[in-house]
Amino acid sequence: MTSPRSDHRKIFRFAAVFLAGLVLVSCTGCAWLHQVFSLSGPQSTMVTEGPVARSQWDLFLVTCWVTGGIFLVVGSVLAYAQIKFRAKSEADEKSPPPPQGHGNPLIEIGLIVASVGLLVIIAIPTVRDIWYTHDVPEAEKGNALDVTATGYQWWFKFEYPNELVKLPTGGEAPLVTGNELVVPAGRPVRVQLRTVDVIHSFWIPKLAGKVDMMPNRPNFLWFKAERPGYFYGQCAEYCGESHAIMKFRVIALAQADYDQWLARQKQPARTVPAPALAAAGLPQVRFASLKLNDGRALAGSTEFDANPLAAWQKMQEPAAGENPALIAAGRKLFSSKTCISCHTTRGHEGIGITGPDLTHVGARSTIAAGVLENTPERLSQWLHEPAHFKPGNKMYFGGYLVQDPTGAWKQNFTLNDAEVNALVAYLHSLK
Amino acid sequence: MAEAIAKSAYTGGARAPAKKATFDLFARPTAKTGLVSWLTTVDHKRIGMLYGGFAILFFLIGGLEALMIRTQLIVPNNRFISAQLYNELFTMHGTTMIFLAVMPLNAAFFNLLVPIQVGARDVAFPRLNSFSLWVWVVGAILLNVGWISHVFPHMNFGGAPDVGWFGYAPLTSKAFTPDLSTDFWVLGIQVLGLSSIVASLNFIVTIINLRAPGLTMMRLPVFTWMALVTSFLLILALPAIAIALVEVMFDRNFGTNFFEVSGGGQPILWQHLFWVFGHPEVYILILPPMGYVSEILPTFSRKPLFGYPIIVFSGVAIGFIGFGVWSHHMFTTGLGNVATAAFALATMAIAVPTGVKIFNWIGTLWGGQIMTRVPMMFALGFIWMFMLGGFSGIMHSAAPADAQQQDSYFVIAHFHYVLIGGATFALLAAIHYWFPKFFGRMVPEFWGKVSFWLIFVGFNCTFFPMHFLGLNGMPRRTWTYDSNMGWNEGNLFATCGAYLLGVGIFTYFAVLVWSLFKGQKCGNDPWDGRTLEWSIPSPPPEHNFDAIPSVHARDAWWYEKTHKDEIAKEKAALIQAEESHGGIHMPDQSWYPIIAAFGLLIGAYNMAQLHHPVVMFGNQIFASHLPLGIAGGVILLAACYLWSLEGPGGYHLHLGADGKVTESRGDHH
């Protein structure tokens, strides 16, 4: 037989465990719910890093306050009416109907006037910000960097019209890069928006709202990154099969870093001095993880996500322990597998312009339009199965496969592990 | 008054038809039951039920498409479905829900209710009504025919349409979508538009011309008013999309350059034409639901609608301003500052008449005796959810802020609050409310309430987090996403909510099916209603009214209930008068509407694949589909010609003193 005292203890213990459990569950639940409603992602429109995005978020807050205020008032009245005038019993329902009133024009017109007044609160900053977000402010125009962004199915080309590079054939042309736009922090950037195929939309949520890239219709937008940073961008207009993974990055650097980057970019493709290739052909090295990682196309590793700008900076320097023989073999394959007909490697053999410019691809933090981190493993996976990571892409349909006159797809070339390995070494040497 | 009414043209049969100059290829069908009776029906109630049945079927299909989309997005980098299939699913989910679910459900209620609410025996053009129904079915088939090629890959349709419900040029160009799916999409939408225009003209004429004596415009039930406004919106908005679709069709098949960039075409033109249709379309979807709610709230508050004239005028105002706000779908296309500002302000302006309706609905509840039956719960849910959708709509009108929200999940949250929380909640309320009228049985309250709460909670769990996903930078139409974007939890939560919503919708319709057979039988006025449909038996007889009602007030039936003696006297006189004119005149069934629609199906199906050779059993029969397309056109024109030769036909019903109805034919006088 237990004493009442020990009973109390048991109850107490049970209650304590129960409460602790409840606290635990509700804490994890709340933490989880906090995640559901969080706005802290790399494309958050709330975490603004420049004046354009900030004015857009501030205007959004104005609309929130006004509509929130209306909701509080109207919702309270509605809730009150629902509770107060509810028939609470059978008798209520059976009682004679209430007075059959038809309305009150004075109240109705009063409410119309009040709503117009509230909308004016939104209208004024709206009109102001339409003009502000449209173009670089007059005072800063002289300091603005001009860039042209062009949408392709499904990647972005970036051109610096005022930064000319010497072409191997003689003459000069604007600097071209792909999928990673590098800009100086603290300076306004005016981006001309073009497309070569369908409509795309250029969106860097932390820096500026989107503007569409319309065929036969030149558009532009402006933004300013207030401090150095690594920003995510994405195509926001449905543009076909791989629209969902048409991404890009904006890397903002301090002016000195930017100048250094620019100087490197203006160099032709880097050549690693190579000894004569052994007669045996390609070195037989394999990557450990050529499997497709459960079909997941993870953009970044944890270290990368922790400080993407540092990760990007690390990419600028040639990797230690480069294998010149392998790189030279890769360069040969880049020609023999017809990569050169779509990709430019300025100073090397590549002269194509339908795909991204790869002159400095080794210095980019991502490949395949921001889908994959630019590591040797990812690049080799990408080269093995481009259609897996980006369905419908033109490197696979048009490169690996070509269409015969009847429209059927035929294999153009294949890549074995060793060939991929050499291509990866070559591409990563292009710093 | 009764004598004046008896003399009026409303008593039917007053017009003597010209001597029989008709030609019947098919004997005029007279079956009242069985398959033929449904295929050839001209009865607005049966046509309404067919519209409703097909629409609910497509509503469930569209819902399954949505669940597949949500399943794909449940975790990052999911490979449940391919990018291509995903794009087909979101295209068809949008197209299906708009054109094949909500619009035809509204059309179902137009058919079921408008003639009864105006005190008529049918619509103005009964055979044309049947034609719109079957043409709509043809459009639905054309839009969905592409799914077949997933099952039979040798049927070379290229899958279902995958250009988005908005079909932005130049993605619809042959260069980017060379397969047939886009051709079927173009013709499918075109055919659906034809159906809507025909139906709208029919309802405009019905509402303006067939109103019962005493039913002035300002006594019309609000639902009928909204049906009228919606019909006008349809006939004014659809030509824009019809033109745009013709241009796409010509670009794809006949080498024109309306949107072909290489030929100097302007893809932006498509967006203007599409949204000049597409924005009024939003009101086409939401005005009838505002009508249902404006009928349901007074019934379950037991008092008239607060501010009837303002509700009606604001509905009309929404219709007008709705044509002047289309470019708010295009704030990111580089319209220019002045245009952007103008459309931003116009968009704010349209919030006013919409807000006014909400104020008036609250005014209706105020001082009432609110009875929370299931239709009322859905109607109240509508007000709350539509209000939230309206607020996020106002947020979009601030164009610079919209530059961040446009094409993000924030927009998805917004328009699902308007189209599920708004239109669908109101439709579910309406189905529950008028089900007893047309099937004579009640839906059990308990299970109705269970389904309401499942739907309400599921809906909010699905779509509320999407506001945050959008503000956190998640774009729409996104087949997959990376795990490091901060979208994982929100998507998982939304998908769980979607499953709950699916369970709720399933419960709702399962209970409806059960009630169809086992529901408790009910009389003519189970809810203590206020409008004319509650004055006639449930289900209504073929001829709706024994005597065409005479209307003395808004809420005509409420007036009748409170002035029983006066109305009874009037009614007896009216029945007498009508019988002396030869009885109740009813329209005949006809084969021609469905045959004409069949011709349209053959024609459109073949014209969609115009440049492809016709191959049968491995042999090429024709070099193109043109001969078969022409054959379809010939069937269509022949059916229309024979339709006009057939003559109006008709027969008379006679009400016996014992309440029995007898039929007589060929006694026109």
Side-chain angles (χ1 to χ4, degrees):
Chain A
M1 205 183 142
T2 53
S3 68
R5 213 183 146 81
S6 72
D7 269 357
H8 282 155
R9 245 184 226 152
K10 267 187 196 162
I11 292 169
F12 181 75
R13 230 180 267 156
F14 176 78
V17 169
F18 180 78
L19 268 178
L22 197 71
V23 168
L24 192 74
V25 167
S26 52
C27 280
T28 49
C30 282
W32 195 71
L33 272 183
H34 178 74
Q35 280 299 309
V36 170
F37 298 110
S38 87
L39 293 177
S40 57
Q43 285 185 188
S44 170
T45 58
M46 182 181 78
V47 187
T48 55
E49 300 274 0
V52 177
R54 184 155 317 114
S55 75
Q56 288 163 334
W57 178 257
D58 289 347
L59 177 60
F60 174 73
L61 287 183
V62 171
T63 65
C64 280
W65 284 115
V66 172
T67 55
I70 301 174
F71 180 65
L72 211 63
V73 175
V74 178
S76 310
V77 175
L78 174 56
Y80 176 80
Q82 265 181 256
I83 296 163
K84 171 86 175 34
F85 300 107
R86 189 175 167 178
K88 285 158 194 89
S89 62
E90 194 85 343
D92 275 1
E93 295 196 352
K94 294 270 156 53
S95 61
Q100 303 287 299
H102 283 276
N104 184 330
L106 214 61
I107 293 181
E108 291 163 43
I109 290 166
L111 285 169
I112 293 174
V113 173
S115 358
V116 171
L118 286 167
L119 287 171
V120 170
I121 301 177
I122 298 178
I124 291 169
T126 296
V127 173
R128 185 195 62 206
D129 286 353
I130 287 173
W131 264 265
Y132 177 69
T133 56
H134 177 67
D135 203 349
V136 183
E138 253 344 287
E140 291 187 79
K141 271 214 167 119
N143 192 28
L145 172 74
D146 280 313
V147 182
T148 304
T150 308
Y152 287 69
Q153 280 180 323
W154 293 278
W155 60 281
F156 291 92
K157 180 173 89 174
F158 299 115
E159 270 173 291
Y160 296 74
N162 300 327
E163 304 294 346
L164 300 179
V165 294
K166 289 206 169 56
L167 296 179
T169 49
E172 289 186 321
L175 172 66
V176 175
T177 171
N179 295 324
E180 293 192 0
L181 174 63
V182 180
V183 297
R187 267 175 70 189
V189 181
R190 199 168 186 276
V191 189
Q192 295 291 335
L193 301 170
R194 304 285 183 269
T195 171
V196 299
D197 39 48
V198 298
I199 300 171
H200 303 281
S201 192
F202 189 79
W203 188 26
I204 323 143
K206 286 188 176 183
L207 296 176
K210 61 192 78 61
V211 175
D212 297 348
M213 298 166 145
M214 305 287 300
N216 283 355
R217 187 184 168 86
N219 274 341
F220 66 90
L221 63 68
W222 79 280
F223 66 83
K224 181 162 80 178
E226 281 166 339
R227 51 200 172 95
Y230 185 94
F231 306 106
Y232 283 66
Q234 189 159 0
C235 172
E237 185 58 84
Y238 176 60
C239 56
E241 192 166 0
S242 273
H243 156 68
I245 45 181
M246 179 175 169
K247 302 173 156 220
F248 66 99
R249 303 286 192 275
V250 173
I251 293 119
L253 301 174
Q255 185 68 44
D257 292 342
Y258 173 73
D259 291 338
Q260 193 191 357
W261 173 84
L262 209 54
R264 282 189 170 176
Q265 290 287 309
K266 288 183 176 177
Q267 300 297 317
R270 176 169 164 264
T271 307
V272 181
L277 253 191
L282 297 171
Q284 295 298 308
V285 185
R286 280 161 187 269
F287 286 108
S289 56
L290 280 181
K291 292 214 181 85
L292 290 174
N293 192 17
D294 259 357
R296 301 278 174 98
L298 304 170
S301 54
T302 321
E303 314 90 79
F304 182 90
D305 284 343
N307 191 347
L309 187 58
W312 179 86
Q313 266 151 350
K314 229 158 72 186
M315 300 294 293
Q316 306 308 307
E317 302 300 332
E322 284 181 322
N323 180 343
L326 195 60
I327 290 169
R331 182 169 168 180
K332 281 215 161 123
L333 285 166
F334 198 72
S335 292
S336 64
K337 298 290 183 185
T338 68
C339 311
I340 53 166
S341 54
C342 295
H343 294 287
T344 294
T345 45
R346 182 164 31 88
H348 287 186
E349 294 76 16
I351 48 161
I353 52 162
T354 47
D357 186 306
L358 299 182
T359 308
H360 297 284
V361 65
R364 290 183 201 147
S365 54
T366 59
I367 49 170
V371 178
L372 300 170
E373 190 183 340
N374 192 7
T375 61
E377 286 79 9
R378 291 300 182 198
L379 186 53
S380 65
Q381 287 173 354
W382 166 246
L383 291 174
H384 265 283
E385 269 202 74
H388 175 84
F389 293 101
K390 200 189 266 185
N393 80 81
K394 293 204 172 92
M395 179 158 92
Y396 191 71
F397 295 98
Y400 288 46
L401 308 182
V402 288
Q403 251 172 328
D404 70 11
T406 67
W409 291 101
K410 297 271 152 61
Q411 197 80 39
N412 183 30
F413 62 81
T414 54
L415 293 175
N416 63 31
D417 289 357
E419 288 166 340
V420 165
N421 196 17
L423 278 169
V424 169
Y426 170 61
L427 291 170
H428 270 204
S429 78
L430 298 176
K431 293 291 179 181
Chain B
M1 183 166 181
E3 291 84 57
I5 294 161
K7 278 186 201 136
S8 77
Y10 290 100
T11 43
R15 253 177 315 134
K19 204 68 201 143
K20 200 168 165 39
T22 59
F23 169 77
D24 295 346
L25 184 66
F26 300 104
R28 217 133 180 187
T30 54
K32 299 264 176 192
T33 54
L35 184 63
V36 170
S37 73
W38 285 91
L39 296 179
T40 63
T41 187
V42 292
D43 180 348
H44 68 97
K45 298 175 288 296
R46 286 183 154 210
I47 290 173
M49 282 181 204
L50 287 172
Y51 261 121
F54 288 133
I56 288 169
L57 177 71
F58 279 108
F59 179 70
L60 297 177
I61 291 174
L64 282 179
E65 286 161 357
L67 288 181
M68 287 179 76
I69 289 170
R70 281 314 321 165
T71 305
Q72 164 66 14
L73 295 178
I74 190 167
V75 289
N77 285 305
N78 199 2
R79 296 271 168 163
F80 171 63
I81 45 181
S82 69
Q84 177 57 35
L85 182 59
Y86 185 89
N87 295 342
E88 290 174 26
L89 283 171
F90 80 66
T91 301
M92 286 308 291
H93 168 70
T95 309
T96 300
M97 286 307 198
I98 289 166
F99 293 101
L100 307 182
V102 175
M103 280 176 80
L105 267 174
N106 286 335
F109 280 105
F110 286 11
N111 268 291
L112 291 171
L113 293 174
V114 165
I116 304 182
Q117 286 198 336
V118 301
R121 296 222 159 91
D122 209 317
V123 292
F125 309 111
R127 285 179 295 172
L128 208 56
N129 199 19
S130 157
F131 179 70
S132 358
L133 166 72
W134 297 114
V135 168
W136 177 83
V137 172
V138 168
I141 293 172
L142 289 172
L143 278 179
N144 282 282
V145 74
W147 292 119
I148 293 178
S149 54
H150 284 292
V151 188
F152 305 107
H154 68 278
M155 302 280 282
N156 205 8
F157 296 150
D162 58 354
V163 290
W165 89 277
F166 47 92
Y168 271 9
L171 193 60
T172 48
S173 155
K174 261 230 155 42
F176 303 109
T177 45
D179 57 48
L180 290 171
S181 63
T182 308
D183 298 295
F184 279 111
W185 179 80
V186 166
L187 275 168
I189 303 283
Q190 193 72 283
V191 167
L192 290 172
L194 172 67
S195 158
S196 291
I197 288 183
V198 171
S200 299
L201 291 169
N202 210 340
F203 283 106
I204 290 171
V205 177
T206 304
I207 294 169
I208 303 225
N209 286 352
L210 296 193
R211 275 170 295 134
L215 184 54
T216 58
M217 290 307 276
M218 289 313 276
R219 283 179 183 170
L220 272 188
V222 173
F223 168 69
T224 300
W225 250 115
M226 293 305 116
L228 182 66
V229 176
T230 305
S231 300
F232 273 110
L233 288 186
L234 278 164
I235 57 168
L236 293 173
L238 282 164
I241 185 100
I243 289 163
L245 288 168
V246 166
E247 290 176 351
V248 171
M249 185 174 82
F250 271 60
D251 275 5
R252 287 180 66 85
N253 293 305
F254 307 116
T256 56
N257 289 302
F258 292 103
F259 311 119
E260 285 298 329
V261 179
S262 55
Q266 279 293 354
I268 190 83
L269 173 66
W270 166 271
Q271 294 194 21
H272 282 291
L273 288 170
F274 182 82
W275 289 116
V276 162
F277 150 77
H279 199 78
E281 171 71 21
V282 174
Y283 298 105
I284 287 162
L285 297 174
I286 198 69
L287 284 175
M290 288 173 166
Y292 311 134
V293 170
S294 303
E295 301 286 312
I296 291 167
L297 290 175
T299 296
F300 294 103
S301 307
R302 306 191 73 199
K303 70 192 264 288
L305 193 63
F306 186 88
Y308 170 97
I310 297 239
I311 290 240
V312 167
F313 287 138
S314 62
V316 177
I318 289 172
F320 271 107
I321 310 174
F323 278 98
V325 297
W326 79 89
S327 280
H328 68 206
H329 298 267
M330 300 163 61
F331 280 152
T332 63
T333 58
L335 290 167
N337 291 348
V338 175
T340 301
F343 281 105
L345 297 180
T347 304
M348 291 172 198
I350 205 167
V352 174
T354 315
V356 162
K357 291 207 172 206
I358 290 178
F359 300 147
N360 282 285
W361 289 326
I362 296 174
T364 307
L365 299 174
W366 199 270
Q369 255 168 37
I370 301 175
M371 302 197 284
T372 40
R373 301 285 186 273
V374 177
M376 186 62 164
M377 293 177 76
F378 275 107
L380 291 170
F382 165 93
I383 300 181
W384 283 101
M385 297 299 102
F386 183 72
M387 191 155 62
L388 292 181
F391 288 145
S392 50
I394 292 176
M395 293 173 185
H396 290 145
S397 72
D402 182 64
Q404 292 282 22
Q405 296 148 13
Q406 150 89 359
D407 275 333
S408 80
Y409 261 74
F410 193 88
V411 174
I412 302 218
H414 159 68
F415 70 73
H416 282 91
Y417 266 84
V418 175
L419 290 179
I420 298 183
T424 306
F425 270 48
L427 277 163
L428 296 178
I431 292 171
H432 219 283
Y433 181 61
W434 280 291
F435 184 92
K437 174 48 58 193
F438 292 96
F439 296 100
R441 291 175 187 273
M442 304 293 287
V443 187
E445 277 287 305
F446 173 78
W447 287 104
K449 283 183 176 159
V450 167
S451 67
F452 169 79
W453 284 112
L454 286 171
I455 291 170
F456 185 82
V457 173
F459 164 73
N460 280 291
C461 288
T462 312
F463 293 101
F464 199 71
M466 288 188 189
H467 291 109
F468 292 82
L469 283 172
L471 293 175
N472 209 4
M474 181 166 168
R476 299 168 74 169
R477 298 158 192 145
T478 192
W479 153 64
T480 188
Y481 56 93
D482 277 329
S483 56
N484 64 343
M485 304 303 286
W487 306 332
N488 304 359
E489 291 82 3
N491 274 297
L492 177 59
F493 196 85
T495 301
C496 294
Y499 292 148
L500 192 62
L501 178 58
V503 171
I505 295 286
F506 175 81
T507 312
Y508 181 96
F509 285 104
V511 175
L512 227 56
V513 172
W514 182 89
S515 313
L516 209 52
F517 302 102
K518 297 279 169 82
Q520 190 196 336
K521 293 209 167 165
C522 65
N524 66 334
D525 189 14
W527 307 117
D528 195 10
R530 310 178 74 87
T531 39
L532 282 174
E533 69 270 25
W534 304 108
S535 70
I536 58 176
S538 310
E542 186 188 357
H543 57 285
N544 295 350
F545 298 96
D546 287 349
I548 294 291
S550 60
V551 176
H552 301 266
R554 258 176 229 158
D555 291 351
W557 171 236
W558 188 267
Y559 181 89
E560 281 192 32
K561 281 193 276 194
T562 46
H563 299 76
K564 284 193 177 114
D565 294 343
E566 174 194 344
I567 296 292
K569 250 190 247 161
E570 248 179 40
K571 239 176 208 159
L574 280 165
I575 292 174
Q576 186 78 44
E578 193 154 28
E579 190 51 46
S580 69
H581 280 84
I584 298 167
H585 182 252
M586 298 299 294
D588 256 334
Q589 286 154 247
S590 173
W591 277 108
Y592 293 114
I594 193 172
I595 293 173
F598 177 73
L600 192 61
L601 174 64
I602 300 294
Y605 175 81
N606 287 296
M607 290 310 274
Q609 21 188 345
L610 179 63
H611 296 306
H612 289 240
V614 182
V615 179
M616 269 181 187
F617 308 112
N619 302 318
Q620 182 173 322
I621 298 174
F622 298 116
S624 84
H625 273 71
L626 189 61
L628 296 180
I630 291 174
V634 168
I635 297 174
L636 169 65
L637 290 177
C640 291
Y641 189 64
L642 291 170
W643 172 345
S644 54
L645 282 184
E646 180 184 48
Y651 56 94
H652 285 93
L653 296 177
H654 309 276
L655 304 175
D658 52 353
K660 262 200 178 154
V661 181
T662 52
E663 202 179 300
S664 66
R665 285 185 172 274
D667 57 350
H668 292 294
H669 69 143

